[in-house]
Structure formats: structure tokens, C-alpha cells
Amino acid sequence: EPEVTQTPSHQVTQMGQEVILRCVPISNHLYFYWYRQILGQKVEFLVSFYNNEISEKSEIFDDQFSVERPDGSNFTLKIRSTKLEDSAMYFCASRGKNIQYFGAGTRLSVL
Amino acid sequence: AQSVSQHNHHVILSEAASLELGCNYSYGGTVNLFWYVQYPGQHLQLLLKYFSGDPLVKGIKGFEAEFIKSKFSFNLRKPSVQWSDTAEYFCADPDSGTYKYIFGTGTRLKVLA
């Protein structure tokens, strides 16, 4: 069964550093999403992406965040200057036939 | 605003016990509902989905869920749980626009052998 893959599985960074989280969606899917889950809290929507542009973003997705699909296969989430409160599990998803398929997530730890 | 509520945050059961996890959604239009499971260290996997038709939907691993429109509910059930069902369970309702998922808070299920 096709899978969404995310790398790295765990990223440790210092506050103020830039991080890039990578995702490879399922190849024939056109809609992509990023979600995050802070420890002990619910999974929250960050951003949706379609046709090489953001289709919706949440209040969490401020100017420190950006997404791109640089090469037609990878889908990346960049955090320009990480804050302690960015520590969370970040999930990528791609959608096909109205079902979202999720990656295993990247655990981001900001020190 | 659209919301999803899961009332049980932590559930502990013995093997062979029956399971019911509650999920209530707020949206009153077209309904697509999902249950996902996350085993430790793994990705969110689709357990089952409801789009339309028979309100009792069957999923993988013996799980089923019943859509009750009048109660805005989509509760997950399993007649007899196994130790391997230990996981976190999420109910999700897509937004009608970009189809982003609105998730419930999740339920951590621990099954004792």
C-alpha cells in the first residue's frame, strides 16, 4: 500500500534555528496538509496545499512557517526561527478519494 | 466553528472486554466522518469511514462505528478488544472547504493482557 513518508523522525534544534521537515506524499495525490500535535493536546491543522499554492492556513501558521513543493515529489514545512512552543509532533498528509493518508510524523524538540 | 468531541481521554480495558469510544461532531451539513488509530511510533491509520448509506460501517481489525445523525454521533465499537489494540484513537470530521480534518482530542486505549 502506498505510504506517506516523513523525515526526519526526530529533530532536535536550538531556539531561533531554522528547521525543514520533509514529506513525500503518495505520488498521484494532489492535496497536501500539515498538522501538528503538541504533547497531550489534539491534532491541529496547520496548512493545506493544492496546485502549488496554499489553499488554507490556520492562525498557527504565521510568517515563521512556509511550505513548498520544490521538486514535484517532496512537500516541505519550514520554520524560520523556532520557538520553544513549536515543540510538537508534525504530521504530513496527502489526500486521495476524500481520504487523508498520514505519515509517521516528525517529532520536533526545540531547546 | 466546526468541532469534534471525544469524551473518553483514557480508557483501560482487559482483553476480551467490549469497547465503545464516543465521538460527537458539530457540523450540520454533508457528513464525512473518520476514525483513525495511531499505534505507538507509527502513523495515523484509517480504521473506518462514513460517507453515506448504511449508518453502521465496518472497518479493519473488527472495528465498527455507527453514525447517528440525530445525536451528531459516530461512536467506535469493538465487541472484544485485544492487547494489540492498545493505541490512540482519533475521530475526524473534514471541513467542507479545503477538507482539512477537524480532530477530536483522541482517546488513549490501554488493553491489559
Side-chain angles (χ1 to χ4, degrees), chain B residues 4 11 13 17 22 27 38 40 52 60 62 66 68 97 107:
Chain B
V4 174
V11 174
L13 294 172
Y27 182 59
Q38 186 178 30
S52 64
I60 60 171
E66 185 175 12
I68 304 179
T107 298

Side-chain angles (χ1 to χ4, degrees), chain A residues 55-92:
Chain A
S55 46
E56 185 177 354
K57 58 184 180 180
S58 71
E59 293 173 353
I60 304 165
F61 195 89
D62 62 21
D63 292 344
Q64 295 300 312
F65 290 86
S66 61
V67 288
E68 63 175 2
R69 197 143 189 258
D71 55 14
S73 61
N74 290 284
F75 177 50
T76 62
L77 174 70
K78 184 194 292 187
I79 309 175
R80 256 180 280 282
S81 177
T82 50
K83 302 187 282 269
L84 294 175
E85 54 264 38
D86 293 327
S87 294
M89 194 76 163
Y90 289 80
F91 295 103
C92 171

Side-chain angles (χ1 to χ4, degrees), chain B residues 13-72:
Chain B
L13 294 172
S14 298
E15 273 195 315
S18 65
L19 170 72
E20 181 161 1
L21 302 182
C23 172
N24 288 92
Y25 66 95
S26 67
Y27 182 59
T30 302
V31 174
N32 290 350
L33 293 164
F34 300 85
W35 276 98
Y36 282 81
V37 60
Q38 186 178 30
Y39 300 102
Q42 296 188 29
H43 61 280
L44 286 155
Q45 297 177 38
L46 181 66
L47 265 183
L48 46 78
K49 62 187 185 295
Y50 173 78
F51 285 169
S52 64
D54 189 342
L56 185 62
V57 291
K58 295 193 183 299
I60 60 171
K61 307 186 187 216
F63 286 91
E64 63 180 32
E66 185 175 12
F67 169 64
I68 304 179
K69 189 175 180 179
S70 61
K71 294 184 178 180
F72 293 90

Side-chain angles (χ1 to χ4, degrees), chain A residues 3 9 15-16 30 50 70 81 87:
Chain A
E3 283 189 350
S9 55
M15 192 168 56
L30 302 176
Y50 169 70
S81 177
S87 294

Side-chain angles (χ1 to χ4, degrees), chain A residues 33 35 45 56 98 100 103, chain B residues 34 36 43 98-101:
Chain A
Y33 304 82
Y35 297 84
F45 165 76
E56 185 177 354
N98 285 345
Q100 289 188 30
Chain B
F34 300 85
Y36 282 81
H43 61 280
T98 59
Y99 213 78
K100 68 176 188 278
Y101 279 178

